[in-house]
Amino acid sequence: MVSLVPHAKVGRNDPCPCGSNKKYKRCCLSSQHAVEDSPWQRQRVASDRLTDDMIAFARKRFGNAILEAWMDFNQSDFSPPMEEDFSERQIFFPYLLFDWDPDQPATPRGKRPKPGIVAQQYILAKSRRLSDLEGLILALSIAQPVSFYEVLRCDPGHSMLLRDLLIGGEAEVEEHKGSQHVLTGDILYGQLCPLPDVITLSRMAPLAIPPGKKAAVFALRAQLRRKIAKQERDLAAQDLIRYREMIRTVYLNIRDGLCKPPKLQNTDGDPFVFHTLTFEISSPQVAFDALASLAWGESREDLLDGAEMAPDGALLSISFDWRKKGNAMHKTWDNTILGHLKVAGRTLTAEVNSAKRARRIRKEIEQRLGILARHRGTASQTPEQLMAASKQSKKPAKPDPGESGVDPEVLETVRAQMRQEMEAWVDLKLPVLGGRTPRNAVQDPDGREIVESLLLEWERDAQQPEMAKFLVPDVAVIRRILHLQS
């Protein structure tokens, strides 16, 4: 892959440039002589030399205009400074050197876009001084399209098998550093450099796009195919070059979307914020009599089966779910669990997972009990706060009803509800599938592939300890329902 900064000689005791955190002499130096004359090493030396020289040329000739190029690359006048987005320069500098031209007119159909203004002037000034290999790398950096590539196989530290998601075709790419940070199923935004003896990556964005974003790439592919539909041919490399701005727009949208924290919502579409409302009540029996009808579909007798009773038959404590008929998101469900109520002595606790439901249950309780219930307080926690708190304590104590926190029993109810929602996902119409359900989408190849990519991302997320505590969908069950291979 083309380097972006001038290279200094690595000393034996310096950190190894491969990123292993070992000393150079104990890492790559031992194998350096074995590969120093390999096609990959020759390409790397030539690429580094060419890139360093072109960056110096661009800084000398264009100076402050590089900031304009940075904003053009990001398609925004409000881009963060390059100094604050250091890793993104990895994909920006190739754009600056080979593509950027602020005054270039739209390319007519059938015509190949001209090289960027830096490349044009560099070729005029220095092309005769380049070696044959440097000249070939320069030509390929201009002529090869930038596309989205799916990682089909990865040998970390050595190579990757990539599939072009826009125009098809597979390539075995030798890539030493970049292959250490990707997983099978990831999507890379980059450019191939197919030399006679080796294929490398001349561009590679620093962000490995997760599998679940494949739908956005397929939507782009469909859009590009519509643009050439009248020509009665397949999408080709020249089309990707012509529409490279459109392709980069999709990359930027994916990149910016991944930088935003995920939105967790309940089945009403409200953001998850766990609320604990505490009330002082006159007696457990009075509270139960007033609130029992909130458990839609449950009889009083069934609810009392789990109650704690005094020897004289008086009610001491009871807990039950707050339910309503039907479900706004899943039409096949007959009810929705809105929260959890617990009566113990003279304390009533209500647990819900959104601010809207907290306001609603408080209104219900105060209307039903009137002066027989006095609101003592409401504590709230976002999922992020809850995760952070659980990390700080290996054995979290069960919170008192009046304390800030979520009762473990209630949390397990929320987990079960969330798992149920995700497993009902197979019959949910999803925008990412064009309004189809996963069950319907798997009937065609593209839909099946998108569903597979979503499940792969679920499986990855489920392996993260902080996520496993809250969202653990049984992906194997979903695969069996959809007749997909494990």
Side-chain angles (χ1 to χ4, degrees), residues 391-467:
K391 288 180 180 179
Q392 294 174 359
S393 175
K394 294 182 179 179
K395 294 182 179 180
K398 184 175 181 178
D400 291 335
E403 294 181 353
S404 173
V406 179
D407 191 306
E409 294 179 4
V410 178
L411 186 55
E412 183 54 40
T413 300
V414 174
R415 288 178 186 153
Q417 180 184 354
M418 294 171 74
R419 285 195 294 266
Q420 183 184 15
E421 291 176 8
M422 297 190 77
E423 289 165 8
W425 172 83
V426 296
D427 293 309
L428 182 64
K429 293 181 179 180
L430 302 174
V432 74
L433 297 173
R436 295 179 296 172
T437 68
R439 194 188 298 274
N440 290 331
V442 296
Q443 303 306 314
D444 72 77
D446 282 2
R448 189 180 189 89
E449 192 168 340
I450 294 172
V451 171
E452 287 275 15
S453 69
L454 295 172
L455 295 180
L456 176 59
E457 191 163 332
W458 274 11
E459 288 172 328
R460 287 189 187 179
D461 291 344
Q463 295 173 9
Q464 302 300 319
E466 64 273 15
M467 292 300 295

Side-chain angles (χ1 to χ4, degrees), residues 10-261:
V10 181
R12 289 173 54 84
N13 292 311
D14 291 339
C16 188
C18 76
S20 65
N21 294 324
K22 298 180 182 178
K23 289 186 177 180
Y24 181 49
K25 66 183 180 181
R26 300 191 182 279
C27 190
C28 291
L29 179 62
S30 60
S31 59
Q32 182 68 24
H33 297 295
V35 299
E36 64 184 2
D37 198 36
S38 68
W40 176 84
Q41 181 66 14
R42 290 196 296 271
Q43 183 273 345
R44 177 178 177 179
V45 171
S47 293
D48 290 348
R49 187 164 54 237
L50 174 65
T51 305
D52 292 347
D53 194 46
M54 289 190 73
I55 289 177
F57 178 86
R59 285 173 172 160
K60 183 177 180 180
R61 287 286 182 96
F62 297 93
N64 293 334
I66 293 178
L67 178 59
E68 179 186 348
W70 171 250
M71 292 187 290
D72 287 347
F73 170 81
N74 285 286
Q75 299 177 353
S76 172
D77 293 336
F78 304 98
S79 305
M82 280 191 288
E83 296 76 13
E84 297 179 10
D85 203 358
F86 184 83
S87 63
E88 194 68 4
R89 294 197 285 180
Q90 177 176 314
I91 192 67
F92 161 68
F93 271 99
Y95 163 83
L96 167 70
L97 301 181
F98 305 113
D99 298 344
W100 178 64
D101 189 343
D103 301 319
Q104 189 176 80
T107 305
R109 180 189 298 180
K111 298 292 185 178
R112 178 180 291 271
K114 293 181 180 179
I117 190 171
V118 175
Q120 289 181 40
Q121 295 197 20
Y122 184 83
I123 290 170
L124 290 174
K126 296 196 172 187
S127 61
R128 294 182 180 180
R129 305 178 189 177
L130 300 179
S131 68
D132 290 344
L133 182 53
E134 289 169 345
L136 179 56
I137 293 171
L138 174 58
L140 289 172
S141 297
I142 294 169
Q144 284 290 112
V146 179
S147 187
F148 289 97
Y149 296 91
E150 180 182 20
V151 180
L152 301 180
R153 185 184 69 247
C154 183
D155 180 7
H158 184 260
S159 65
M160 298 179 287
L161 178 62
L162 304 181
R163 175 168 71 106
D164 192 319
L165 292 176
L166 297 181
I167 59 176
E170 297 180 4
E172 185 78 36
V173 175
E174 187 164 353
E175 171 56 46
H176 294 194
K177 188 174 182 179
S179 62
Q180 298 179 25
H181 309 291
V182 301
L183 300 172
T184 299
D186 280 343
I187 300 170
L188 308 179
Y189 173 72
Q191 179 190 52
L192 300 185
C193 183
L195 297 170
D197 298 319
V198 65
I199 301 176
T200 64
L201 280 165
S202 54
R203 307 186 200 188
M204 177 179 165
L207 173 70
I209 300 170
K213 299 301 180 182
K214 186 180 287 185
V217 179
F218 278 16
L220 168 66
R221 184 176 68 184
Q223 188 177 6
L224 294 174
R225 285 174 174 174
R226 287 194 296 271
K227 286 184 173 294
I228 66 162
K230 293 182 179 180
Q231 302 176 42
E232 298 182 350
R233 62 177 177 82
D234 292 334
L235 198 63
Q238 65 265 26
D239 301 308
L240 304 192
I241 296 173
R242 183 182 181 200
Y243 297 112
R244 59 192 179 193
E245 290 293 309
M246 182 186 302
I247 295 171
R248 192 171 76 257
T249 298
V250 173
Y251 163 71
L252 294 172
N253 289 340
I254 293 174
R255 180 199 69 182
D256 295 344
L258 289 172
C259 292
K260 297 177 182 178

